[in-house]
């Protein structure tokens, strides 16, 4: 099983771990796992797009370390607004960004913000329902990704996740 699939499974498990009164530790780790499930899915897809083939696995692992959460969020926000940088948009031809890809980008932003709250906002209390909803959001993003992967807009999105900052202007 892939890391991203394991993390998604863990997110659901942690949200349900204590049947009567879930601990904040379990709920917060569930929220974090939901975000990292989508993060690792997209990084895995991007590195495979850029470095195909089994023999390049170690190179993909090295490349994966080059992804920055803030750059990935900038790219996702741009796709939610359909304001794709011209250098990325030029590779799309006349293809439009499909709603499932916008939904993936939206989920990424929402999950990253929730992960940030879970990891750093000690005053915030999470409920089981919130943790489960975020795990479900990540799971839906996985399904949405399967609908769009391999298309030019999806490839542009994956490329932007790594190089967005360098493609502006």
């Amino acid at each position: 099983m892939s890391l991203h699939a394991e993390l998604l499974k863990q997110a659901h498990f942690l949200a349900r771990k204590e049947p009567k009164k879930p601990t904040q530790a379990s709920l917060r780790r569930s929220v974090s796992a939901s975000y990292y499930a989508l993060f690792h899915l997209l990084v895995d897809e991007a590195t495979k797009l850029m470095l195909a083939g089994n023999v390049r696995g170690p190179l993909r692992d090295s490349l994966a370390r080059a992804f920055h959460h803030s750059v990935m969020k900038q790219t996702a926000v741009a796709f939610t607004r359909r304001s794709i940088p011209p250098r990325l948009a030029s590779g799309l031809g006349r293809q439009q960004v499909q709603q499932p890809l916008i939904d993936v980008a939206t989920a990424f932003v929402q999950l990253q913000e929730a992960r940030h709250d879970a990891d750093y906002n000690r005053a915030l209390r999470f409920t089981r329902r919130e943790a489960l909803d975020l795990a479900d959001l990540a799971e839906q993003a996985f399904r949405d990704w399967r609908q769009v992967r391999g298309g030019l807009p999806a490839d542009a999105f994956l490329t932007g996740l790594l190089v967005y900052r360098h493609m502006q202007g």
Side-chain angles (χ1 to χ4, degrees):
M1 183 181 292
S2 65
L3 176 59
H4 50 270
E6 289 174 2
L7 285 164
L8 186 58
K9 184 176 177 181
Q10 183 183 57
H12 281 101
F13 170 78
L14 288 169
R16 295 183 179 109
K17 186 175 180 238
E18 295 96 4
K20 295 193 187 243
K21 189 171 187 224
T23 66
Q24 283 300 297
S26 293
L27 296 176
R28 287 169 181 272
R29 295 313 306 152
S30 172
V31 170
S32 187
S34 294
Y35 166 69
Y36 279 108
L38 184 54
F39 171 87
H40 284 291
L41 169 68
L42 295 173
V43 168
D44 187 56
E45 291 284 316
T47 60
K48 285 179 179 173
L49 174 67
M50 296 171 200
L51 295 167
N54 290 337
V55 70
R56 292 182 179 85
L59 273 175
R60 281 194 299 276
D61 292 339
S62 294
L63 181 60
R65 300 286 299 147
F67 287 81
H68 294 275
H69 299 276
S70 60
V71 174
M72 293 175 74
K73 184 178 180 181
Q74 286 177 317
T75 301
V77 167
F79 272 75
T80 65
R81 295 179 182 159
R82 298 178 190 245
S83 58
I84 302 158
R87 290 185 187 171
L88 276 177
S90 66
L92 299 179
R94 296 177 187 255
Q95 290 191 26
Q96 297 297 313
V97 177
Q98 304 132 314
Q99 190 61 47
L101 182 54
I102 294 168
D103 294 342
V104 169
T106 301
F108 185 85
V109 172
Q110 290 175 347
L111 288 166
Q112 189 184 88
E113 290 171 354
R115 195 270 317 165
H116 193 270
D117 282 340
D119 288 352
Y120 302 111
N121 187 348
R122 292 175 45 168
L124 187 65
R125 309 272 307 162
F126 284 89
T127 66
R128 182 190 315 271
R129 182 75 266 147
E130 289 168 327
L132 286 170
D133 286 349
L134 290 165
D136 290 345
L137 178 62
E139 189 170 23
Q140 180 61 49
F142 277 40
R143 287 191 296 271
D144 290 338
W145 180 254
R146 284 192 293 272
Q147 288 183 46
V148 298
R149 72 186 300 257
L152 284 175
D155 289 353
F157 178 72
L158 292 174
T159 301
L161 294 177
L162 181 60
V163 300
Y164 182 85
R165 183 178 298 156
H166 302 290
M167 296 188 81
Q168 297 180 29

